[in-house]
Amino acid sequence: MNKLEFKKLLNEKILILDGATGTELQKYNFLEGVSTPEELNIKFPERIKQIYSSYIDAGSDVILANTFGANKLKLAQYNLENKIEDIIHAGVNIAKEEASRTGAFVAGDISSLGGYLYPLGNISFDTAYETFKQQAQILIDSKVDLIIIETMTEIKELKAAVLAVKEVCEDIPVITQMTFTSEGVSVTGTDVLSFIAMAESLGVDGLGMNCSVGPKDLLKLAKFVSENTNLPISFKPNAGMPQFINRKTVFPGTPEEFLNYSLQAYNYGINMLGGCCGTTPEYIKLLSENLKNKSPVKRKFVKHHLLSSRTRAIDLNLLQKPIKIGERINPTGRKILQAELSQNVFGLVKSEARTQVQNGADILDVNMGLPGADEAKLITNAVNEIQEIVNVPLSLDSSFVDALEAACKNCAGKPLINSVNGETEKLQKILPIAKKYGASIIGLTVDEKGIPKTWQERMHIVEKILFYASKIGVRRTEIIFDFLTLSVSSSPEQVAETLQAIRQAKMQLWDCKTILGISNISFGLPSRQTINSTFLKMAVEAGLDMAICNPNADWTIDDEYARNLLTGKDENAKKYIEKYSGVAKKPIAENKILSPKEKFFNSIINGDKDYIKPLIEEILKEGVEPLTISNELILKALNIVGEKFNSKEYFLPQVIMSAEASQLAFSYIKPLLKKEKQSVAGKVVMATVQGDVHDIGKNIVCAVLESFGFEVVDLGKNVDKETIVAKAKEIGADIIGLSALMTTTMVEMENVINLKKALNINAKIMVGGAPVTKTFADSIGADGYAKDAIDAAKLAKELIKKQ
C-alpha cells in the first residue's frame, strides 16, 4: 500500500486497529521461556500467532507485527542482536499469514530504543538514526503494508525514527504516535502541539496517541489534536490506568466504557481506532461492530504555521506582530563570546538565551560563525545546550550546509533555517535540508548579482525561490521572505524599496510571511535604537510579520526625527544628527550584578555547568566553608528545582541538568570536606529488580541522590535479590532503593524486602517506578514510596533522620 492508496482509504472509511499485545501475552503466560516478547517470533511462533488471530477474528483492519522492540540496541541486552532479521521476518510473516484471511493490513511496529538521546541520555542522534534505519529496512524487506512508530516519549528520538523510515522507503505510509500524561505532556515535557508540529513537518501520513492513560483522558487530548491538524488521527488508549490488586495487574476499564469514549473520538473526526495496554479482542470486537467501514467525520481545515522546541510550539499565524527573533547569540564582534566558544564553553550563550527570552524573544537565532572553528560542532553543541534551558523555537543561522544539517538533526523540535537566497547553488543545497528535517526557512532576496535596487527585482528572486522550493516539495507557506535592510546613512533610497517590497508581498504572496533584520538600518548613526525602533514600527505598518532584533532593547520608541530620516525628508541626516549626536548612549539592558554565591546558586537551578568550578573557587576565597556550600547553596537550589518540577515549570530535562551541575559541584568540594563529614547524607544501594530491564528512571534517581550528597552504589538493572542485599550488607547501606517499570516485576520488590529481613539488614527500603503506588509499597512492607527523583531525594533524607 502506498501513500496515495492509504490517504484514499482513510478518506473513505474508518480503520479498526488491534488491541494490546503485551498484556495479552502476560495473561496467557506466553512470555515464559523467552527473554523478550520479540523472541516469541522464532521460539514460540504459535503463541504470537494466537494473539494475531484473536484480533483478526475480532475485526481488526490493521494488526501490528510483534516487532515493537526489535532493534539492535534492545535485542543486544538479550544477546539476540544477530537474530534481528530472523525475528522481524518471522513476526511479519506470521502476521501476514493471519491477515490474509480477511485482507487486513500488517503494520511494522517501531518503538523506543530504551534510552534517551543526547543530551538527555547517551545515545547519539546518528546511532539512533542508524538503529531505526536497520529495523525499518528489514520491515520493508518483509513487505509490511505500513509502519507505525508508537509509544514514543521523546521528540528527538521520534525525529530520528521518522527520518530513518523515510530514508528507507519514501512511499510507505508512516503513522507516528506519542504517549502523554492526562495533562497533555510527555515525560520529557513535550506538549501535544509540539508533537503535531514535528510530525507534520516531517511529512508523516497520520499521527496520534497511544498508551499511558485511559480513554477518558486520551479523549480530551484527541479533541485538541483533531482541532489542530489536517492529518489522519489514531486513537489507542489503555483500558484505564493499571492497578495492582492481590498481586495481579488489573485494568479497571470496561469494553463498554472504552466503546463510549471511542465513539466520541470518532465524532471528533478520528480516522483510526484501537486499544493499548489492557485492551483485549473483546474491546476490538465492540469497536468493529460499531465503527467498521463507517465514513469518517469531516473536520474543519486547520491553517497554521508552527515552529516548536521540545516543550513549546508557537503558531506564527496567531502571534502578535512583530514576532521577535533574538539576535544576540552571535560571536561577530564580541571578543568575550569568541573566547568562550573557542574553548567550547557556552555559559554566555546560555545567559544570552535566558535573558532574551525573559525580555520577549519568541524565537532565538543561533549563529556560531567563529573563524577557524568547526562550525558544525559548535552549532550542534550550542543547540543542545540552549534547547534544554529555554522553551522557544530556534532559528539555525549558518551559511555552511554541514553545520545546518548537524543543527537540524539535534534540534528537538521544528526549527527555522536562516537562510537560503536566490543563488542557484544555495537553493540546491539548503532547500533539501529544510525538506528532509521539516524546517521552515528564511529566503533572502539576494542572488549572484547582489542586492537588487528595486522591489520588483527582489520579487523576481522570490519567484525563483518559490520555484525551486516547489520542485522538491517545500511548501510555500514554510518560507519567510527577507527583503533586506540597508543602512539609511549610506542607502537612504533603499528604505522605501524595502517597505514597498513588503507591501507587494502581502498583496501577491498572501500565504507567505515577511521578515527583516532591523539593526542594519541605523549603521553609522547616533542613538541607533531610536532609528531601529521607529523603522520597525514603519515596517509593521507596511505588513512586516517578523523581526530579527535585540529583544533587550527599547522597542516603544517612535521618533519624528527618525521618521523624517527614514522617509527621505532629512537629507544627509542633518537634522537627526543635530538632534542626537550629543545624546549619551543609554545601556540597552542593565543587569543586577550578582555575587559569586548568587551566581553559583542560579547555576545549580539552571543546570549551567560552565562556571561551577571558578565560582566555587571565588566562594571559597570569601571564606565560605565547603559544607556551607553543600547545605546552604547546592541542596537549597535543588529544593527549588524540586518545587519547579512539581509545579510543572520544570520537566525531566531540566531536572537532569540541575542534577549534573550539582554533581559537578560536589566533585570539587568533596575533597575539601572533613573526613568524618564526607558522607553528607548517607549510603544508598540502587537497583532495578530482577526481570526488569528498564533503568532510565532509576538512573535519574541515582543522579539526583548523588546531587543531594548521598553516596550511591548503582547495581544496574535486572538485579537479583541476593546481589542487592549482599551489597547493602557489604557497604553498610542506610537505604536500598528499588525500581520497577512493569507490573509483572513489581512483586520482586517484596522478595528483596523479605530477604533483607531474614538476614537482619538494617537498611531502609524505598521503592518507585511507573506502576508502583504507595498502597503497593505499604502492602509489601517498604519503608517509603517515591513518585519521582526529587521525591526520592526528600524521602531518603526523611528515612535517614528516622534511623
Coordinates of all heavy atoms in Angstrom, one line a residue, residues 496-538:
A496 N 12.6 52.9 1.2 CA 11.3 52.9 0.5 C 11.2 51.6 -0.3 O 10.1 51.1 -0.3 CB 11.2 54.1 -0.4
E497 N 12.3 51.2 -0.9 CA 12.2 49.9 -1.7 C 11.9 48.7 -0.9 O 11.1 47.9 -1.2 CB 13.5 49.7 -2.5 CG 13.8 50.8 -3.5 CD 12.8 50.9 -4.7 OE1 12.2 49.8 -5.0 OE2 12.6 52.0 -5.2
T498 N 12.5 48.7 0.3 CA 12.3 47.6 1.2 C 10.9 47.5 1.7 O 10.2 46.5 1.7 CB 13.3 47.6 2.4 OG1 14.6 47.5 1.9 CG2 13.0 46.6 3.4
L499 N 10.4 48.7 2.1 CA 9.0 48.8 2.6 C 8.0 48.5 1.5 O 7.0 47.8 1.8 CB 8.7 50.1 3.3 CG 9.6 50.5 4.5 CD1 9.3 51.9 5.0 CD2 9.3 49.5 5.6
Q500 N 8.2 48.9 0.3 CA 7.3 48.6 -0.8 C 7.3 47.2 -1.1 O 6.3 46.6 -1.5 CB 7.7 49.5 -2.0 CG 6.8 49.3 -3.2 CD 5.3 49.8 -2.9 OE1 5.1 50.5 -1.9 NE2 4.4 49.3 -3.7
A501 N 8.5 46.5 -1.0 CA 8.6 45.1 -1.3 C 7.7 44.3 -0.3 O 7.0 43.4 -0.7 CB 10.0 44.6 -1.2
I502 N 7.7 44.8 1.0 CA 6.9 44.1 2.0 C 5.4 44.3 1.6 O 4.6 43.3 1.7 CB 7.2 44.7 3.4 CG1 8.6 44.3 3.8 CG2 6.1 44.2 4.4 CD1 9.0 45.0 5.1
R503 N 5.0 45.5 1.2 CA 3.6 45.7 0.8 C 3.2 44.8 -0.3 O 2.1 44.2 -0.3 CB 3.4 47.2 0.5 CG 3.6 48.2 1.6 CD 3.2 49.6 1.2 NE 3.7 50.5 2.3 CZ 4.8 51.2 2.2 NH1 5.6 51.1 1.1 NH2 5.1 52.1 3.2
Q504 N 4.0 44.8 -1.3 CA 3.7 44.0 -2.5 C 3.6 42.5 -2.2 O 2.8 41.7 -2.7 CB 4.8 44.2 -3.6 CG 4.7 45.6 -4.2 CD 3.4 45.8 -5.0 OE1 2.9 44.9 -5.6 NE2 2.9 47.0 -4.9
A505 N 4.5 42.0 -1.3 CA 4.5 40.6 -0.9 C 3.2 40.3 -0.2 O 2.6 39.2 -0.4 CB 5.7 40.3 0.0
K506 N 2.7 41.2 0.6 CA 1.4 41.0 1.3 C 0.2 40.9 0.3 O -0.7 40.2 0.6 CB 1.2 42.1 2.4 CG 2.1 41.9 3.6 CD 1.7 40.6 4.2 CE 2.7 40.1 5.3 NZ 2.4 38.8 5.7
M507 N 0.4 41.6 -0.8 CA -0.7 41.5 -1.8 C -0.6 40.3 -2.7 O -1.6 39.7 -3.0 CB -0.7 42.8 -2.6 CG -1.2 44.1 -1.8 SD -1.4 45.5 -2.9 CE 0.3 45.9 -3.3
Q508 N 0.6 40.0 -3.1 CA 0.9 39.0 -4.1 C 1.1 37.6 -3.4 O 0.7 36.6 -4.0 CB 2.1 39.3 -5.0 CG 1.9 40.6 -5.8 CD 3.1 40.9 -6.6 OE1 3.8 40.0 -7.1 NE2 3.4 42.2 -6.8
L509 N 1.7 37.6 -2.2 CA 2.0 36.3 -1.6 C 1.3 36.3 -0.2 O 1.9 36.2 0.8 CB 3.5 36.2 -1.4 CG 4.4 36.4 -2.6 CD1 5.9 36.5 -2.2 CD2 4.2 35.3 -3.6
W510 N 0.0 36.3 -0.2 CA -0.8 36.5 1.0 C -0.5 35.3 2.0 O -0.7 35.4 3.2 CB -2.3 36.5 0.7 CG -2.7 35.4 -0.2 CD1 -2.8 35.4 -1.5 CD2 -3.2 34.1 0.3 NE1 -3.3 34.1 -1.9 CE2 -3.5 33.4 -0.9 CE3 -3.4 33.6 1.5 CZ2 -4.0 32.1 -0.8 CZ3 -3.9 32.3 1.6 CH2 -4.2 31.6 0.5
D511 N -0.1 34.2 1.4 CA 0.1 33.0 2.3 C 1.6 32.9 2.8 O 1.9 31.9 3.5 CB -0.3 31.7 1.6 CG 0.4 31.5 0.2 OD1 1.1 32.5 -0.2 OD2 0.3 30.5 -0.4
C512 N 2.5 33.8 2.5 CA 3.8 33.8 2.9 C 4.0 34.9 4.0 O 3.3 35.9 4.0 CB 4.8 34.0 1.8 SG 4.8 32.6 0.6
K513 N 5.1 34.8 4.7 CA 5.4 35.8 5.8 C 6.7 36.6 5.4 O 7.5 36.1 4.6 CB 5.5 35.1 7.1 CG 4.2 34.6 7.6 CD 4.3 34.0 9.0 CE 2.9 33.7 9.5 NZ 2.1 32.9 8.5
T514 N 6.8 37.7 6.1 CA 8.0 38.6 5.8 C 8.8 38.8 7.1 O 8.2 38.8 8.2 CB 7.5 39.9 5.2 OG1 6.6 40.5 6.1 CG2 6.8 39.8 3.9
I515 N 10.1 39.1 6.9 CA 11.0 39.3 8.0 C 12.0 40.3 7.6 O 12.4 40.4 6.4 CB 11.6 37.9 8.4 CG1 12.4 38.0 9.7 CG2 12.5 37.4 7.3 CD1 12.8 36.7 10.3
L516 N 12.6 41.0 8.6 CA 13.7 41.9 8.4 C 14.7 41.8 9.5 O 14.3 41.6 10.7 CB 13.3 43.3 8.2 CG 12.6 43.8 6.9 CD1 12.1 45.2 7.1 CD2 13.5 43.6 5.7
G517 N 16.0 41.9 9.2 CA 17.0 42.1 10.3 C 17.0 43.7 10.5 O 17.3 44.4 9.5
I518 N 16.7 44.1 11.7 CA 16.4 45.5 11.9 C 17.7 46.4 12.0 O 17.8 47.5 11.5 CB 15.5 45.7 13.1 CG1 14.2 44.9 12.9 CG2 15.2 47.2 13.4 CD1 13.4 45.4 11.7
S519 N 18.7 45.9 12.7 CA 19.8 46.8 13.2 C 20.6 47.4 12.1 O 21.2 48.4 12.3 CB 20.6 46.0 14.2 OG 21.2 44.9 13.6
N520 N 20.6 46.8 10.9 CA 21.4 47.4 9.8 C 21.0 48.8 9.5 O 21.8 49.6 9.0 CB 21.3 46.5 8.6 CG 22.2 45.3 8.7 OD1 23.0 45.2 9.6 ND2 22.0 44.3 7.8
I521 N 19.7 49.1 9.7 CA 19.2 50.4 9.2 C 19.9 51.6 9.9 O 20.0 52.6 9.2 CB 17.6 50.4 9.6 CG1 17.0 51.6 8.8 CG2 17.4 50.5 11.1 CD1 16.8 51.4 7.4
S522 N 20.4 51.4 11.1 CA 21.0 52.5 11.8 C 22.5 52.6 11.8 O 23.1 53.4 12.5 CB 20.5 52.5 13.3 OG 20.9 51.3 13.9
F523 N 23.1 51.8 11.0 CA 24.6 51.7 11.0 C 25.2 53.1 10.7 O 24.8 53.8 9.8 CB 25.1 50.7 10.0 CG 26.6 50.5 9.9 CD1 27.2 49.8 10.9 CD2 27.3 51.1 8.9 CE1 28.6 49.7 10.9 CE2 28.7 51.0 8.9 CZ 29.3 50.3 9.9
G524 N 26.2 53.5 11.5 CA 26.9 54.7 11.3 C 26.2 56.0 11.8 O 26.7 57.1 11.5
L525 N 25.1 55.8 12.6 CA 24.4 57.0 13.1 C 24.3 57.0 14.6 O 24.4 55.9 15.2 CB 23.0 57.0 12.4 CG 22.9 57.3 10.9 CD1 21.5 57.0 10.4 CD2 23.3 58.8 10.7
P526 N 24.1 58.1 15.2 CA 23.9 58.1 16.7 C 22.6 57.6 17.1 O 21.6 57.5 16.3 CB 24.1 59.6 17.0 CG 23.6 60.3 15.8 CD 24.0 59.5 14.6
S527 N 22.5 57.4 18.4 CA 21.2 56.9 19.0 C 20.5 55.8 18.1 O 19.4 56.0 17.7 CB 20.3 58.1 19.2 OG 19.1 57.7 20.0
R528 N 21.2 54.8 17.9 CA 20.8 53.8 16.9 C 19.4 53.2 17.2 O 18.6 52.9 16.3 CB 21.9 52.7 16.8 CG 23.2 53.2 16.2 CD 24.1 52.0 15.8 NE 23.5 51.1 14.8 CZ 24.1 50.0 14.4 NH1 25.3 49.7 14.9 NH2 23.5 49.2 13.5
Q529 N 19.2 52.9 18.5 CA 17.9 52.3 18.9 C 16.7 53.2 18.5 O 15.6 52.7 18.3 CB 17.9 51.9 20.3 CG 16.7 51.1 20.8 CD 16.5 49.8 19.9 OE1 17.5 49.3 19.4 NE2 15.3 49.3 19.8
T530 N 16.9 54.5 18.5 CA 15.8 55.4 18.1 C 15.4 55.1 16.7 O 14.2 55.0 16.3 CB 16.3 56.9 18.3 OG1 16.6 57.1 19.6 CG2 15.2 57.8 17.9
I531 N 16.4 54.9 15.8 CA 16.1 54.6 14.4 C 15.6 53.2 14.3 O 14.6 53.0 13.6 CB 17.4 54.8 13.5 CG1 17.9 56.2 13.6 CG2 17.1 54.4 12.1 CD1 19.2 56.4 12.9
N532 N 16.2 52.3 15.0 CA 15.8 50.9 14.9 C 14.3 50.7 15.2 O 13.5 50.1 14.5 CB 16.6 50.0 15.8 CG 18.1 49.9 15.3 OD1 18.4 50.2 14.2 ND2 18.9 49.4 16.2
S533 N 13.9 51.3 16.4 CA 12.5 51.1 16.8 C 11.5 51.8 15.9 O 10.5 51.3 15.6 CB 12.4 51.7 18.3 OG 11.1 51.5 18.7
T534 N 11.9 53.0 15.5 CA 11.0 53.7 14.6 C 10.8 53.0 13.2 O 9.7 52.9 12.7 CB 11.5 55.1 14.3 OG1 11.7 55.8 15.6 CG2 10.5 55.9 13.4
F535 N 11.9 52.5 12.7 CA 11.9 51.7 11.5 C 11.0 50.4 11.6 O 10.3 50.1 10.7 CB 13.3 51.3 11.0 CG 13.4 50.5 9.8 CD1 12.9 50.9 8.6 CD2 13.9 49.2 9.9 CE1 12.9 50.1 7.4 CE2 13.9 48.4 8.7 CZ 13.5 48.9 7.5
L536 N 11.2 49.8 12.7 CA 10.4 48.5 12.9 C 8.9 48.9 12.9 O 8.1 48.2 12.3 CB 10.8 47.9 14.3 CG 10.0 46.6 14.6 CD1 10.1 45.6 13.5 CD2 10.5 46.0 15.9
K537 N 8.5 50.0 13.5 CA 7.1 50.4 13.5 C 6.6 50.7 12.1 O 5.5 50.3 11.7 CB 6.9 51.6 14.4 CG 7.1 51.2 15.9 CD 6.7 52.4 16.8 CE 6.9 52.1 18.3 NZ 6.1 50.9 18.7
M538 N 7.4 51.3 11.3 CA 7.1 51.6 9.9 C 7.0 50.3 9.1 O 6.1 50.2 8.3 CB 8.1 52.5 9.3 CG 8.2 53.9 9.9 SD 9.6 54.9 9.3 CE 9.3 55.0 7.5

